[in-house]
């Protein structure tokens, strides 16, 4: 007997997806798009960026349908969207820091050398940022996106004390990892924007 895909379980839809079922993909999209969109929009507050992230997630789901080993579809989608949001927040923070740096630092004769130094500092910063514990990185990035500690605590369902501890830990680890860029002869103004 034929069952409409709306009545199918997630595991049935995943099995059909692996068999290249467009209808299964459409049902997954219909079932989860709004939830994922709401989650991303709440974090990023940008409709176009939100749509791009959610559509990219579904595109990757389709493109990797034969490779992905998904046991729990909702968990897979939520984790995927969470990492995409963190990447977007990180990218936005780095871009804004660079723009702030360009405004702050006057042009000089050593601009090539300073650009190389800045690029190195930025690369090291991003490496250390990605090595932070997941929750610590999430709290730190939210704090750098303009949210207050109270707003972060409410958004993540944790105490303000915990938010403060995560931010302090992130700053301590980032500054420790970037010690070579914090010497008196280094471009300290650059790092002002990182931290």
């Amino acid at each position: 007997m034929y069952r409409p895909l709306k009545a199918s379980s997630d595991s049935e839809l995943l099995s059909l997806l692996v068999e290249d079922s467009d209808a299964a993909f459409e049902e997954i999209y219909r079932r989860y798009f709004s939830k994922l969109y709401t989650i991303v929009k709440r974090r990023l507050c940008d409709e176009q960026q939100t749509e791009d992230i959610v559509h990219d997630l579904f595109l990757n789901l389709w493109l990797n349908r034969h490779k992905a080993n998904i046991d729990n579809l909702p968990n897979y989608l939520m984790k995927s969207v969470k990492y995409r949001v963190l990447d977007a927040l990180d990218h936005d923070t780095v871009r804004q820091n660079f723009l702030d740096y360009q405004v702050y630092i006057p042009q000089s004769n050593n601009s090539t050398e300073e650009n190389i130094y800045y690029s190195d500092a930025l690369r090291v910063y991003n490496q250390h940022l990605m090595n932070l514990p997941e929750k610590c990185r999430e709290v730190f990035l939210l704090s750098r996106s303009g949210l207050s500690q109270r707003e972060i605590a409410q958004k993540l369902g944790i105490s303000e004390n915990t938010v403060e501890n995560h931010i302090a830990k992130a700053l301590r680890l980032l500054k420790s990892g970037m010690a070579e860029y914090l010497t008196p002869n280094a471009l300290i103004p650059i790092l002002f924007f990182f931290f």
Side-chain angles (χ1 to χ4, degrees), residues 32 47 53 55 63 80 87 97 130 145 147 152 184-185 195:
Y32 289 102
E47 287 182 29
I53 286 174
H55 285 145
L63 293 175
S80 295
D87 286 345
N97 289 342
M130 294 315 293
S145 70
L147 294 180
I152 296 169
N185 296 328
F195 304 115

PDB file of all heavy atoms in Angstrom, residues 32 47 53 55 63 80 87 97 130 145 147 152 184-185 195:
ATOM      1  N   TYR A  32      11.904  20.537   7.526  1.00  0.00           N
ATOM      2  CA  TYR A  32      12.916  21.154   8.391  1.00  0.00           C
ATOM      3  C   TYR A  32      13.329  22.574   8.020  1.00  0.00           C
ATOM      4  O   TYR A  32      13.988  23.225   8.806  1.00  0.00           O
ATOM      5  CB  TYR A  32      14.169  20.264   8.457  1.00  0.00           C
ATOM      6  CG  TYR A  32      13.911  19.013   9.235  1.00  0.00           C
ATOM      7  CD1 TYR A  32      13.681  17.801   8.586  1.00  0.00           C
ATOM      8  CD2 TYR A  32      13.855  19.041  10.620  1.00  0.00           C
ATOM      9  CE1 TYR A  32      13.411  16.659   9.304  1.00  0.00           C
ATOM     10  CE2 TYR A  32      13.584  17.903  11.350  1.00  0.00           C
ATOM     11  CZ  TYR A  32      13.366  16.708  10.690  1.00  0.00           C
ATOM     12  OH  TYR A  32      13.100  15.586  11.407  1.00  0.00           O
ATOM     13  N   GLU A  47      18.331  38.235   6.930  1.00  0.00           N
ATOM     14  CA  GLU A  47      17.511  37.311   6.146  1.00  0.00           C
ATOM     15  C   GLU A  47      18.271  36.662   5.005  1.00  0.00           C
ATOM     16  O   GLU A  47      18.167  35.457   4.792  1.00  0.00           O
ATOM     17  CB  GLU A  47      16.273  38.038   5.604  1.00  0.00           C
ATOM     18  CG  GLU A  47      15.248  38.332   6.667  1.00  0.00           C
ATOM     19  CD  GLU A  47      14.000  39.004   6.120  1.00  0.00           C
ATOM     20  OE1 GLU A  47      13.673  38.775   4.950  1.00  0.00           O
ATOM     21  OE2 GLU A  47      13.364  39.742   6.891  1.00  0.00           O
ATOM     22  N   ILE A  53      22.630  30.274   4.201  1.00  0.00           N
ATOM     23  CA  ILE A  53      23.149  29.205   5.054  1.00  0.00           C
ATOM     24  C   ILE A  53      22.247  27.978   5.004  1.00  0.00           C
ATOM     25  O   ILE A  53      22.713  26.847   4.844  1.00  0.00           O
ATOM     26  CB  ILE A  53      23.324  29.700   6.501  1.00  0.00           C
ATOM     27  CG1 ILE A  53      24.550  30.612   6.563  1.00  0.00           C
ATOM     28  CG2 ILE A  53      23.440  28.548   7.495  1.00  0.00           C
ATOM     29  CD1 ILE A  53      24.764  31.289   7.892  1.00  0.00           C
ATOM     30  N   HIS A  55      19.925  27.141   2.724  1.00  0.00           N
ATOM     31  CA  HIS A  55      19.920  26.533   1.387  1.00  0.00           C
ATOM     32  C   HIS A  55      21.215  25.773   1.120  1.00  0.00           C
ATOM     33  O   HIS A  55      21.196  24.688   0.528  1.00  0.00           O
ATOM     34  CB  HIS A  55      19.684  27.590   0.308  1.00  0.00           C
ATOM     35  CG  HIS A  55      18.266  28.047   0.244  1.00  0.00           C
ATOM     36  ND1 HIS A  55      17.926  29.335  -0.058  1.00  0.00           N
ATOM     37  CD2 HIS A  55      17.083  27.409   0.453  1.00  0.00           C
ATOM     38  CE1 HIS A  55      16.605  29.466  -0.040  1.00  0.00           C
ATOM     39  NE2 HIS A  55      16.082  28.304   0.278  1.00  0.00           N
ATOM     40  N   LEU A  63      23.965  16.766  -2.194  1.00  0.00           N
ATOM     41  CA  LEU A  63      25.202  16.400  -2.885  1.00  0.00           C
ATOM     42  C   LEU A  63      25.939  15.266  -2.184  1.00  0.00           C
ATOM     43  O   LEU A  63      26.623  14.470  -2.835  1.00  0.00           O
ATOM     44  CB  LEU A  63      26.120  17.617  -3.004  1.00  0.00           C
ATOM     45  CG  LEU A  63      25.625  18.746  -3.908  1.00  0.00           C
ATOM     46  CD1 LEU A  63      26.574  19.933  -3.850  1.00  0.00           C
ATOM     47  CD2 LEU A  63      25.445  18.262  -5.343  1.00  0.00           C
ATOM     48  N   SER A  80      24.776  20.679  11.914  1.00  0.00           N
ATOM     49  CA  SER A  80      25.301  21.294  10.694  1.00  0.00           C
ATOM     50  C   SER A  80      25.005  22.784  10.672  1.00  0.00           C
ATOM     51  O   SER A  80      25.878  23.594  10.351  1.00  0.00           O
ATOM     52  CB  SER A  80      24.690  20.640   9.451  1.00  0.00           C
ATOM     53  OG  SER A  80      25.075  19.299   9.351  1.00  0.00           O
ATOM     54  N   ASP A  87      30.587  29.615  11.927  1.00  0.00           N
ATOM     55  CA  ASP A  87      31.494  30.050  10.858  1.00  0.00           C
ATOM     56  C   ASP A  87      31.113  31.432  10.346  1.00  0.00           C
ATOM     57  O   ASP A  87      31.976  32.274  10.100  1.00  0.00           O
ATOM     58  CB  ASP A  87      31.489  29.051   9.697  1.00  0.00           C
ATOM     59  CG  ASP A  87      32.232  27.771  10.019  1.00  0.00           C
ATOM     60  OD1 ASP A  87      32.984  27.739  11.011  1.00  0.00           O
ATOM     61  OD2 ASP A  87      32.064  26.782   9.265  1.00  0.00           O
ATOM     62  N   ASN A  97      36.738  43.268  11.996  1.00  0.00           N
ATOM     63  CA  ASN A  97      38.020  43.609  12.607  1.00  0.00           C
ATOM     64  C   ASN A  97      38.986  44.159  11.561  1.00  0.00           C
ATOM     65  O   ASN A  97      39.720  45.108  11.815  1.00  0.00           O
ATOM     66  CB  ASN A  97      38.640  42.390  13.292  1.00  0.00           C
ATOM     67  CG  ASN A  97      37.903  42.004  14.549  1.00  0.00           C
ATOM     68  OD1 ASN A  97      37.154  42.789  15.098  1.00  0.00           O
ATOM     69  ND2 ASN A  97      38.104  40.778  14.987  1.00  0.00           N
ATOM     70  N   MET A 130      39.390  28.574  16.462  1.00  0.00           N
ATOM     71  CA  MET A 130      38.739  27.303  16.126  1.00  0.00           C
ATOM     72  C   MET A 130      39.132  26.187  17.099  1.00  0.00           C
ATOM     73  O   MET A 130      38.439  25.195  17.206  1.00  0.00           O
ATOM     74  CB  MET A 130      39.052  26.895  14.688  1.00  0.00           C
ATOM     75  CG  MET A 130      38.459  27.856  13.645  1.00  0.00           C
ATOM     76  SD  MET A 130      36.741  28.341  13.939  1.00  0.00           S
ATOM     77  CE  MET A 130      35.907  26.794  13.676  1.00  0.00           C
ATOM     78  N   SER A 145      29.788  39.730  18.566  1.00  0.00           N
ATOM     79  CA  SER A 145      28.797  40.156  17.565  1.00  0.00           C
ATOM     80  C   SER A 145      27.888  41.258  18.126  1.00  0.00           C
ATOM     81  O   SER A 145      26.953  41.682  17.471  1.00  0.00           O
ATOM     82  CB  SER A 145      27.956  38.968  17.092  1.00  0.00           C
ATOM     83  OG  SER A 145      27.093  38.526  18.113  1.00  0.00           O
ATOM     84  N   LEU A 147      26.268  41.200  21.307  1.00  0.00           N
ATOM     85  CA  LEU A 147      25.295  40.811  22.332  1.00  0.00           C
ATOM     86  C   LEU A 147      25.889  41.028  23.723  1.00  0.00           C
ATOM     87  O   LEU A 147      27.075  40.817  23.942  1.00  0.00           O
ATOM     88  CB  LEU A 147      24.903  39.342  22.173  1.00  0.00           C
ATOM     89  CG  LEU A 147      24.146  38.955  20.912  1.00  0.00           C
ATOM     90  CD1 LEU A 147      23.844  37.461  20.922  1.00  0.00           C
ATOM     91  CD2 LEU A 147      22.855  39.737  20.772  1.00  0.00           C
ATOM     92  N   ILE A 152      23.318  36.868  25.811  1.00  0.00           N
ATOM     93  CA  ILE A 152      23.934  35.573  25.494  1.00  0.00           C
ATOM     94  C   ILE A 152      23.415  34.508  26.450  1.00  0.00           C
ATOM     95  O   ILE A 152      23.062  33.404  26.036  1.00  0.00           O
ATOM     96  CB  ILE A 152      25.469  35.667  25.556  1.00  0.00           C
ATOM     97  CG1 ILE A 152      25.989  36.620  24.477  1.00  0.00           C
ATOM     98  CG2 ILE A 152      26.101  34.287  25.395  1.00  0.00           C
ATOM     99  CD1 ILE A 152      27.448  36.975  24.620  1.00  0.00           C
ATOM    100  N   PRO A 184      56.021  44.403  22.477  1.00  0.00           N
ATOM    101  CA  PRO A 184      55.985  45.867  22.303  1.00  0.00           C
ATOM    102  C   PRO A 184      56.256  46.322  20.877  1.00  0.00           C
ATOM    103  O   PRO A 184      55.743  47.341  20.451  1.00  0.00           O
ATOM    104  CB  PRO A 184      57.091  46.359  23.252  1.00  0.00           C
ATOM    105  CG  PRO A 184      57.247  45.282  24.263  1.00  0.00           C
ATOM    106  CD  PRO A 184      56.911  43.997  23.555  1.00  0.00           C
ATOM    107  N   ASN A 185      57.058  45.566  20.131  1.00  0.00           N
ATOM    108  CA  ASN A 185      57.379  45.969  18.766  1.00  0.00           C
ATOM    109  C   ASN A 185      56.356  45.484  17.746  1.00  0.00           C
ATOM    110  O   ASN A 185      56.449  45.802  16.569  1.00  0.00           O
ATOM    111  CB  ASN A 185      58.762  45.447  18.368  1.00  0.00           C
ATOM    112  CG  ASN A 185      59.847  46.057  19.225  1.00  0.00           C
ATOM    113  OD1 ASN A 185      59.733  47.195  19.658  1.00  0.00           O
ATOM    114  ND2 ASN A 185      60.894  45.296  19.478  1.00  0.00           N
ATOM    115  N   PHE A 195      40.513  41.292  20.344  1.00  0.00           N
ATOM    116  CA  PHE A 195      40.103  41.007  21.706  1.00  0.00           C
ATOM    117  C   PHE A 195      39.174  42.076  22.220  1.00  0.00           C
ATOM    118  O   PHE A 195      38.506  41.977  23.137  1.00  0.00           O
ATOM    119  CB  PHE A 195      41.338  40.874  22.614  1.00  0.00           C
ATOM    120  CG  PHE A 195      42.301  39.838  22.120  1.00  0.00           C
ATOM    121  CD1 PHE A 195      43.561  40.188  21.693  1.00  0.00           C
ATOM    122  CD2 PHE A 195      41.926  38.511  22.040  1.00  0.00           C
ATOM    123  CE1 PHE A 195      44.444  39.229  21.245  1.00  0.00           C
ATOM    124  CE2 PHE A 195      42.820  37.548  21.591  1.00  0.00           C
ATOM    125  CZ  PHE A 195      44.082  37.910  21.205  1.00  0.00           C
TER     126      PHE A 195
END
